[in-house]
Amino acid sequence: SGAGAGLSAAAPELPGWKHVYSGKVRDLYIPADAADAASAESLLMVASDRISAYDWVLDSEIPDKGKVLTGLSLWWFDQLSEIIGNHVISSDVPEAVRGRGLIVANLSMFPVECVARGYLTGSGRADYQATGSVCGIRLPAGLVEADRLEPPIFTPATKAELGEHDENVSFDAVAKTVGDDTAAKLRDLTVEIYQRAEAIARERGIILADTKFEFGTLADGTIVLGDEVLTPDSSRFWDAEGYEPGQTQSSFDKQFVRDWLTTESGWNKSSDTPPPALPDEVVEKTRARYIEAFEKLTGQTFPA
Ligand code: ATP
Ligand code: MG
């Protein structure tokens, strides 16, 4: 496919760091004196203001989005530190990316997206409708969109290449890749962290419907959280107040973008044509929504 592989903004050049990779949203750097990514002990991970929708990186950026996502991740890492360690070393980064860059330990990442679902929606609901199961986990009959799943389930996915969809896989498929013991550990951690985060978000009026973690190991073999955590890009946040199963919930992130793209813009999401740039109003509303999620969850005003 390769759809969505067009990167809108180039990664900035940063003193002391060498750019090695750009995903849809993040740019990764290694220390300038490191030979290659494999041997680097640390990385600089920079969240850009890019936004993706329907697997396309849009031409428009959302001002401050990178700072919101980085600030929120840091806040969550702190909340979770009694359960699990993380990859963060320092937020003392080059001026140009202050607030949205983090120096992190270069982990050996597990090649699995560790998804926990406490509510039935998205690809989980699609699998359920087609098979009655999600990632091989049989669910009761008759569940509707946005129904709560109690207990939450571990629904791993394979990491897709740029522009490809992630693919839901069974627990057994993960066990084949990383071994039975590690697969069980990743599953238990994913569900435990989700449950803690879900409770914290609920106190603040936000339903954490589902989320994705990426784990890796430090040099000594300890499993820790990498990547970003519990942001609107890696999770579905719903407003607890308007929650009603059986219908699509209004989500705390790209709802304005998705709505505008699929209704008003005239763009066909099944086509191979890139989506159009967003009008200023949609950019501004989306920015406000990201900031609202940050402020509701952390109780801090943005910028913190
Ligand atoms: P996309 O999210 O656009 O589908 P992506 O996940 O490849 O693609 P980004 O999320 O933008 O790209 O970039 C972050 C990349 O860095 C991911 O590949 C992620 O697995 C990896 N990563 C995150 N934290 C660490 C870490 N501590 N050590 C090594 N790699 C990491
Ligand atoms: Mg990613």
Side-chain angles (χ1 to χ4, degrees):
S1 98
L7 292 176
S8 50
E13 270 190 43
L14 300 172
W17 296 91
K18 192 158 56 181
H19 176 244
V20 287
Y21 175 81
S22 287
K24 285 199 283 288
V25 171
R26 258 92 45 86
D27 303 318
L28 290 187
Y29 299 74
I30 59 174
D33 59 6
D36 52 32
S39 59
E41 280 177 25
S42 60
L43 299 173
L44 172 59
M45 198 176 76
V46 178
S48 72
D49 290 339
R50 298 191 288 271
I51 185 167
S52 66
Y54 303 110
D55 282 330
W56 289 91
V57 178
L58 305 183
D59 279 336
S60 315
E61 298 200 331
I62 308 298
D64 291 325
K65 177 173 175 278
K67 282 187 181 161
V68 169
L69 296 196
T70 302
L72 201 49
S73 272
L74 280 174
W75 184 82
W76 278 115
F77 280 138
D78 215 35
Q79 304 297 308
L80 300 169
S81 61
E82 278 166 28
I83 305 182
I84 180 102
N86 62 70
H87 63 165
V88 178
I89 295 174
S90 155
S91 10
D92 188 9
V93 297
E95 178 74 44
V97 295
R98 198 149 296 164
R100 57 194 183 87
L102 289 176
I103 298 171
V104 301
N106 188 10
L107 304 178
S108 168
M109 301 298 290
F110 294 108
V112 44
E113 309 253 318
C114 292
V115 178
R117 296 174 191 271
Y119 293 78
L120 188 63
T121 189
S123 70
R125 168 127 193 279
D127 288 355
Y128 170 75
Q129 282 184 305
T131 67
S133 302
V134 185
C135 297
I137 302 168
R138 196 96 201 144
L139 295 177
L143 295 178
V144 297
E145 168 69 31
D147 257 337
R148 185 163 191 183
L149 304 172
E150 187 55 50
I153 54 175
F154 176 60
T155 62
T158 56
K159 274 181 74 73
E161 295 299 312
L162 200 60
E164 306 283 337
H165 286 291
D166 294 345
E167 196 187 322
N168 287 344
V169 295
S170 67
F171 177 82
D172 289 347
V174 177
K176 279 215 179 77
T177 313
V178 300
D180 291 353
D181 291 353
T182 301
K185 230 179 258 170
L186 295 179
R187 176 194 60 204
D188 295 350
L189 277 171
T190 299
V191 171
E192 184 188 1
I193 300 167
Y194 169 83
Q195 284 175 316
R196 175 69 68 93
E198 197 266 348
I200 293 172
R202 179 170 295 278
E203 286 169 9
R204 292 155 168 83
I206 289 179
I207 292 176
L208 174 65
D210 53 38
T211 196
K212 183 241 351 179
F213 302 116
E214 291 186 31
F215 296 94
T217 53
L218 296 169
D220 70 0
T222 316
I223 297 180
V224 296
L225 278 171
D227 215 55
E228 61 173 359
V229 287
L230 298 155
T231 67
D233 278 12
S234 63
S235 322
R236 280 193 179 85
F237 293 135
W238 295 338
D239 196 344
E241 218 166 284
Y243 172 68
E244 203 181 313
Q247 61 186 41
T248 307
Q249 313 299 303
S250 126
S251 76
F252 247 98
D253 57 334
K254 304 174 187 169
Q255 204 59 48
F256 295 113
V257 175
R258 295 201 191 97
D259 289 352
W260 183 81
L261 282 176
T262 53
T263 60
E264 285 167 70
S265 74
W267 176 68
N268 174 4
K269 77 172 162 129
S270 327
S271 75
D272 263 349
T273 328
L278 304 172
D280 291 349
E281 196 204 343
V282 176
V283 169
E284 197 38 58
K285 278 181 162 171
T286 303
R287 176 176 180 273
R289 201 79 171 135
Y290 272 89
I291 290 173
E292 194 186 348
F294 174 92
E295 294 189 335
K296 269 192 121 162
L297 284 165
T298 66
Q300 301 163 18
T301 43
F302 181 85

